[in-house]
C-alpha cells in the first residue's frame, strides 16, 4: 500500500513562512503602520529578548540571559584593594569575582584631600588636569561607594564610577552633586528653558543633583514631583544600607531587562507592547500603571502557537545581525569586521547604477550607508573605535552631507558617540560608548579550531608541517619511536602520499613512526608523542596549543583501537612492519 503524507505539516510550514497563524492558532495582534512596537520574548526564565520595531522594521534589540546577568547600574559598597599611580586608577573589591577598575576621572571630589573637596554641578565634572593624583585620594582598605558603568569584557573587570546616578521615569538623581540639568538629547532651547522653570518649582533636597530625561518633556509639575518623591524614598533605603552594611556588599540593584527597557525606551509614540509570557505581561502592566497612571497600558498577551519573533519575522533579522555582509536597499552593501581594537565598516556600491554621474552615485549610496551604519551599531551594540570607509567623493559639500547624516542618525542613540571629519580617503573615524559586550560576543564563542581567526591550514600544509617535525624527531639520539595524532584528512594523506617518504625515514634512522587518525583533533591540530628506548616520553615537540585532546600521561603508548566506523583513532602500522 502506498504511503501518503498528510498536508497538515505543509500547511503549517506555509503559514509560518507567510507570518500567518496556522490552523487552530489565534490571530496575533496587528502592528501599527506608523507606530513603534515593543515585542518581549521570554524563554522559560533562561533568556529575555526585547525587540523595538518602527514601521515593522527592527530598530533595537536587547538580550539578557540568566547566566550572564547584567550588573550595569548596580550600586555597591566596595573596598580599595590596590592603587596604581602609574595608570592613575584603583582596583575595587565590590563582591564580584573580578575586581572593578576605577579611574581618577570617575572619582567624586568628596574623596579628594580636604583642601580640594567641593560639590560639582550636574554636567560639569572637574577637568582631569585639576584633579589630585589618585594616590592622594584613596588608600588600600578604604571603603568607597561605586556604581558599575560598564561590564567586564574578556579578561578585564567591570568599570566603576563613584558618580552615583539612580534613574526614575522622568528624572535621574545624582547624590553628592548640585543644580539641575536637562538631557542633552533635548535640543530645542525653548523646551529646555521651559522644563528648567518647572524643575526650579520642585521641592528639591539639598546635596542632590537631578537631570530631566527625555520622557519628562511636557510632564506636569505634579508628575515630576511624584517621580522625585519616589527617588528620594529609594535613596533613603540605599543610605540606610550604606551606614549599616559592611563592604563589600550590594546596595542597589537595577531593575530587570523588561522594566528597565520600558522605563528607558517607552514613550507616547509606542502603539503597543506585545508579550508572550503572561507573568511578564502582568508585571509590565503593573509598572506602567505606577509610572504612567494616566495612560491605558497597551500591553497585549500573545497566545499564538508560532513563536513570537518568528511570527513577526524578527528571528530572520536577528540572524542577519551577526552577518559580516549587510545589504542596502539600493543594491549597495556594508561589510562589518570586528577586531580586538576596532570595528571596520566598508561601504560597497554593489549593483547600484541609478545615475550616470559617478559622484552622484557615490553620494546617494553613502547617505544610505550612513543611516544603516548607525542602525547596525545600535543593533549589534558595537562600541570603541570605529572606522567607516565610505565610497570616495570629490565634492566637499557631499562629504559634509554624509558626515551630517551620520551624526544625525547617531543622535537617536543614548550611547555617546563622537565623529571626526571625513578624511581625503573617505574614512570617518568615530568612537561610541560601550557598556557591555556586543550581542555577537554574547551569543557566539571563538571556534576551538581556528581560535577566532576564521582560517585553518589546509591538509596539504599540515602534511608538510608534520613531515618537517618528523624529520626533527627521528634524528634525535634518544628517540626510539614517534607516534603522531592528526585529523582524519591529514592522516589519509600521510598514509598514502607520504608513505614512501615515511618508510625512507624509518630505514635511514632505525626509528619507528606511527600515524594515528584522531577524530577529536581539528584540521590543523596535531599531537606528537616521542618515546625513548625505556618507554618514557621525551618533551621534544609540544602539541598545538589548540589541541583539545591531551597527550597520554602514561609512559607507554596508548593502544590503538581496532579500525572501524565508530573508532576515534585509526592507527597506521609502521612501514617497518
Amino acid at each position: 500500500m502506498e504511503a501518503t503524507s498528510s498536508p497538515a505539516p505543509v500547511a503549517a510550514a506555509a503559514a509560518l513562512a507567510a507570518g500567518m497563524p496556522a490552523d487552530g492558532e489565534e490571530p496575533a495582534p496587528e502592528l501599527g503602520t506608523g507606530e513603534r512596537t515593543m515585542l518581549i520574548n521570554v524563554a522559560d526564565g533562561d533568556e529575555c529578548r526585547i525587540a523595538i520595531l518602527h514601521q515593522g522594521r527592527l530598530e533595537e534589540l536587547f538580550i539578557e540571559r540568566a547566566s550572564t546577568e547584567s550588573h550595569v547600574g548596580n550600586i555597591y559598597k566596595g573596598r580599595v584593594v590596590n592603587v596604581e599611580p602609574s595608570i592613575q586608577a584603583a582596583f575595587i573589591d565590590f563582591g564580584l569575582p573580578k575586581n572593578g577598575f576605577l579611574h581618577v576621572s570617575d572619582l567624586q571630589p568628596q574623596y579628594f584631600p580636604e583642601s580640594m573637596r567641593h560639590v560639582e554641578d550636574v554636567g560639569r565634572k572637574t577637568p582631569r588636569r585639576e584633579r589630585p593624583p589618585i594616590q592622594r585620594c584613596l588608600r588600600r582598605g578604604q571603603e568607597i561607594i561605586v556604581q558599575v558603568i560598564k561590564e567586564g569584557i574578556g579578561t578585564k573587570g567591570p568599570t566603576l564610577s563613584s558618580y552615583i546616578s539612580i534613574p526614575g521615569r522622568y528624572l535621574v538623581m545624582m547624590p553628592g552633586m548640585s543644580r539641575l540639568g536637562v538631557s542633552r538629547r533635548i535640543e530645542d532651547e525653548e523646551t529646555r528653558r521651559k522644563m528648567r522653570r518647572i524643575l526650579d518649582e520642585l521641592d528639591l533636597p539639598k546635596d542632590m543633583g537631578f537631570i530631566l530625561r527625555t520622557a519628562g518633556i511636557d510632564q506636569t509639575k505634579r508628575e515630576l514631583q511624584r517621580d522625585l518623591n519616589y527617588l528620594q524614598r529609594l535613596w533613603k533605603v540605599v543610605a540606610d544600607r550604606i551606614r549599616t552594611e559592611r563592604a563589600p556588599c550590594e546596595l542597589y540593584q537595577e531593575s530587570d531587562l523588561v522594566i528597565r527597557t520600558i522605563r528607558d525606551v517607552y514613550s507616547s509614540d509606542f502603539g503597543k507592547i506585545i508579550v508572550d509570557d503572561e507573568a511578564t505581561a502582568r508585571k509590565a502592566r503593573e509598572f506602567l500603571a505606577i509610572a504612567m497612571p494616566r495612560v491605558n497600558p497597551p500591553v497585549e498577551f500573545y497566545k499564538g502557537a508560532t513563536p513570537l519573533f518568528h511570527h513577526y519575522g524578527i528571528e530572520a533579522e536577528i540572524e542577519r545581525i551577526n552577518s559580516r555582509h549587510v545589504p542596502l536597499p539600493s543594491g549597495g552593501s556594508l561589510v562589518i569586521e570586528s577586531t580586538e581594537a576596532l570595528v571596520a565598516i566598508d561601504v560597497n556600491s554593489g549593483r547600484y547604477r541609478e545615475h550616470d554621474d559617478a559622484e552622484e552615485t557615490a553620494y546617494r549610496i553613502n547617505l544610505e550607508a550612513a543611516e544603516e551604519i548607525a542602525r547596525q551599531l545600535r543593533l549589534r551594540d558595537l562600541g570603541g573605535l570605529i572606522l567607516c570607509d565610505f565610497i570616495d567623493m570629490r565634492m566637499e559639500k557631499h562629504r559634509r552631507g554624509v558626515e551630517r547624516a551620520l551624526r544625525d542618525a547617531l543622535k537617536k542613540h543614548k550611547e555617546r558617540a563622537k565623529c571626526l571629519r571625513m578624511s581625503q580617503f573617505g574614512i570617518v573615524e568615530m568612537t561610541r560608548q560601550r557598556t557591555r559586550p556586543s550581542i555577537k560576543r554574547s551569543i557566539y564563542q571563538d571556534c576551538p579550531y581556528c581560535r577566532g581567526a576564521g582560517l585553518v591550514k589546509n591538509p596539504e600544509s599540515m602534511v608538510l608541517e608534520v613531515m618537517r617535525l618528523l624529520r626533527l624527531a627521528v634524528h634525535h639520539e634518544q628517540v626510539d619511536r614517534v607516534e603522531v595524532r592528526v585529523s582524519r584528512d591529514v592522516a589519509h594523506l600521510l598514509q598514502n602520499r607520504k608513505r614512501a617518504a615515511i618508510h625512507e625515514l624509518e630505514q635511514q634512522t632505525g626509528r619507528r613512526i606511527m600515524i594515528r587518525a584522531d577524530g577529536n583533533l581539528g584540521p590543523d591540530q596535531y599531537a606528537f608523542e616521542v618515546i625513548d628506548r625505556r618507554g618514557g616520553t621525551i618533551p621534544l615537540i609540544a602539541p598545538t596549543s589548540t589541541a583539545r585532546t591531551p597527550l597520554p600521561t602514561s609512559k607507554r603508548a596508548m593502544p590503538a583501537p581496532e579500525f572501524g566506523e565508530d573508532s576515534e583513532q585509526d592507527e597506521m602500522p609502521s612501514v617497518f612492519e
Side-chain angles (χ1 to χ4, degrees):
M1 182 175 178
E2 187 177 356
T4 58
S5 60
S6 171
V10 178
L16 178 62
M20 300 173 60
D23 293 341
E25 181 179 343
E26 295 187 23
E30 294 296 328
L31 302 181
T33 54
E35 300 172 327
R36 299 172 74 197
T37 306
M38 183 181 297
L39 304 181
I40 302 178
N41 166 235
V42 181
D44 302 324
D46 295 327
E47 181 185 59
C48 178
R49 300 186 299 174
I50 301 179
I52 309 297
L53 307 185
H54 181 56
Q55 296 179 347
R57 190 183 187 205
L58 183 62
E59 189 177 76
E60 283 189 86
L61 177 67
F62 305 94
I63 299 178
E64 187 170 271
R65 292 177 177 172
S67 59
T68 56
E69 183 182 1
S70 174
H71 300 95
V72 174
N74 292 0
I75 301 174
Y76 299 87
K77 187 177 187 179
R79 180 179 290 108
V80 179
V81 296
N82 199 16
V83 179
E84 294 288 349
S86 59
I87 57 175
Q88 284 297 293
F91 292 92
I92 313 296
D93 175 17
F94 62 104
L96 265 64
K98 290 184 180 179
N99 292 335
F101 177 86
L102 175 66
H103 192 260
V104 68
S105 59
D106 289 314
L107 192 64
Q108 247 193 354
Q110 63 174 305
Y111 297 101
F112 290 179
E114 287 191 20
S115 60
M116 302 183 67
R117 291 179 185 173
H118 62 280
V119 178
E120 292 177 330
D121 294 336
V122 171
R124 296 182 181 179
K125 289 174 63 175
T126 304
R128 172 69 180 85
R129 62 181 177 274
E130 298 179 11
R131 291 173 175 265
I134 195 168
Q135 59 267 30
R136 292 182 54 195
C137 305
L138 300 177
R139 65 183 186 278
R140 186 177 297 180
Q142 179 179 347
E143 292 186 347
I144 183 172
I145 309 302
V146 292
Q147 186 171 30
V148 179
I149 59 175
K150 179 180 175 182
E151 289 284 10
I153 299 176
T155 58
K156 298 179 181 178
T159 302
L160 308 178
S161 174
S162 64
Y163 288 92
I164 307 302
S165 62
I166 302 179
R169 174 61 185 153
Y170 306 123
L171 300 170
V172 177
M173 172 185 280
M174 304 187 71
M177 304 192 77
S178 65
R179 294 188 59 175
L180 304 173
V182 178
S183 172
R184 61 186 177 87
R185 297 177 66 183
I186 304 174
E187 297 181 346
D188 183 64
E189 283 301 324
E190 181 59 33
T191 303
R192 294 177 69 90
R193 284 193 292 269
K194 174 186 173 183
M195 298 313 298
R196 280 183 181 275
R197 287 194 296 269
I198 296 178
L199 289 174
D200 289 335
E201 297 174 3
L202 299 179
D203 184 15
L204 298 173
K206 294 182 179 180
D207 299 328
M208 288 285 181
F210 291 90
I211 297 177
L212 178 73
R213 310 184 71 176
T214 52
I217 297 177
D218 298 330
Q219 297 298 324
T220 63
K221 177 184 174 182
R222 180 180 178 184
E223 291 294 334
L224 295 178
Q225 186 66 51
R226 181 177 179 176
D227 197 44
L228 173 63
N229 295 339
Y230 159 74
L231 290 172
Q232 286 184 269
R233 290 194 300 270
L234 188 59
W235 177 247
K236 185 177 183 300
V237 174
V238 174
D240 290 341
R241 297 203 66 190
I242 291 175
R243 288 192 297 269
T244 57
E245 299 289 337
R246 297 181 59 186
C249 67
E250 183 180 82
L251 304 173
Y252 165 80
Q253 186 177 32
E254 181 63 292
S255 305
D256 61 21
L257 181 63
V258 173
I259 300 302
R260 194 166 67 240
T261 304
I262 295 176
R263 181 194 68 200
D264 296 344
V265 177
Y266 183 81
S267 60
S268 58
D269 60 344
F270 274 81
K272 59 185 70 175
I273 300 174
I274 304 175
V275 191
D276 63 359
D277 179 73
E278 195 165 4
T280 304
R282 185 167 57 252
K283 181 170 63 174
R285 290 191 192 98
E286 292 172 355
F287 175 77
L288 283 171
I290 296 172
M292 305 177 68
R294 293 182 300 170
V295 178
N296 184 26
V299 180
E300 299 184 19
F301 175 52
Y302 175 77
K303 300 179 181 179
T306 304
L308 177 65
F309 277 22
H310 280 91
H311 179 87
Y312 291 105
I314 306 302
E315 210 68 61
E317 284 219 49
I318 294 175
E319 287 298 320
R320 286 196 293 271
I321 285 177
N322 302 302
S323 172
R324 64 188 295 268
H325 184 270
V326 180
L328 297 175
S330 65
S333 64
L334 303 178
V335 178
I336 304 176
E337 291 282 2
S338 299
T339 68
E340 188 71 22
L342 55 85
V343 177
I345 303 177
D346 183 34
V347 181
N348 296 322
S349 60
R351 63 177 184 274
Y352 181 71
R353 299 292 185 273
E354 185 176 332
H355 301 276
D356 295 335
D357 184 7
E359 176 76 10
E360 188 66 21
T361 297
Y363 179 56
R364 296 296 179 188
I365 295 175
N366 285 339
L367 285 178
E368 196 175 74
E371 293 284 341
E372 187 62 27
I373 284 172
R375 176 173 175 263
Q376 290 296 323
L377 293 178
R378 194 181 209 180
L379 287 176
R380 300 174 186 233
D381 201 12
L382 297 174
L385 180 60
I386 302 166
L387 300 182
C388 305
D389 183 12
F390 289 95
I391 301 172
D392 290 342
M393 297 176 293
R394 297 187 303 273
M395 300 180 66
E396 187 69 16
K397 68 174 184 179
H398 287 167
R399 293 185 180 186
R400 301 290 85 84
V402 173
E403 290 174 9
R404 284 194 300 272
L406 182 59
R407 289 194 181 98
D408 291 343
L410 290 170
K411 286 179 181 178
K412 303 173 185 176
H413 303 193
K414 65 178 182 179
E415 295 81 9
R416 292 189 297 273
K418 180 179 180 181
C419 293
L420 300 182
R421 298 284 293 269
M422 183 179 291
S423 71
Q424 293 181 350
F425 302 110
I427 295 176
V428 173
E429 298 176 59
M430 60 178 289
T431 60
R432 185 173 183 269
Q433 183 185 20
R434 176 166 55 189
T435 59
R436 57 185 176 180
S438 65
I439 287 181
K440 188 175 183 179
R441 278 291 173 191
S442 303
I443 298 176
Y444 294 95
Q445 65 179 13
D446 285 342
C447 170
Y449 297 122
C450 71
R451 293 298 182 188
L455 297 170
V456 293
K457 291 182 180 178
N458 58 38
E460 184 179 4
S461 299
M462 285 303 300
V463 166
L464 295 174
E465 184 172 349
V466 169
M467 290 300 298
R468 285 192 293 267
L469 294 174
L470 279 175
R471 291 188 182 94
L472 172 66
V474 297
H475 284 92
H476 195 279
E477 59 181 11
Q478 298 180 5
V479 172
D480 179 60
R481 70 179 187 272
V482 180
E483 298 182 6
V484 185
R485 297 208 308 273
V486 290
S487 65
R488 295 186 183 276
D489 290 341
V490 177
H492 176 76
L493 292 178
L494 288 170
Q495 293 169 356
N496 291 276
R497 293 187 186 180
K498 294 299 179 180
R499 189 177 187 89
I502 294 175
H503 176 68
E504 185 178 349
L505 273 178
E506 290 186 319
Q507 292 284 13
Q508 290 175 358
T509 61
R511 271 67 168 179
R512 295 179 61 197
I513 299 174
M514 293 183 178
I515 308 294
R516 293 180 176 178
D518 190 338
N520 289 324
L521 293 180
D524 62 350
Q525 297 175 343
Y526 59 77
F528 272 70
E529 187 171 22
V530 183
I531 303 171
D532 60 21
R533 291 180 178 82
R534 297 181 179 180
T537 56
I538 305 172
L540 188 61
I541 300 173
T544 49
S545 60
T546 55
R548 294 182 298 170
T549 305
L551 291 173
T553 55
S554 63
K555 291 187 177 182
R556 289 238 169 240
M558 287 174 52
E562 295 182 2
F563 183 83
E565 291 183 356
D566 298 329
S567 64
E568 281 296 314
Q569 297 180 345
D570 306 321
E571 179 180 344
M572 181 189 79
S574 168
V575 290
F576 259 169
E577 303 170 352

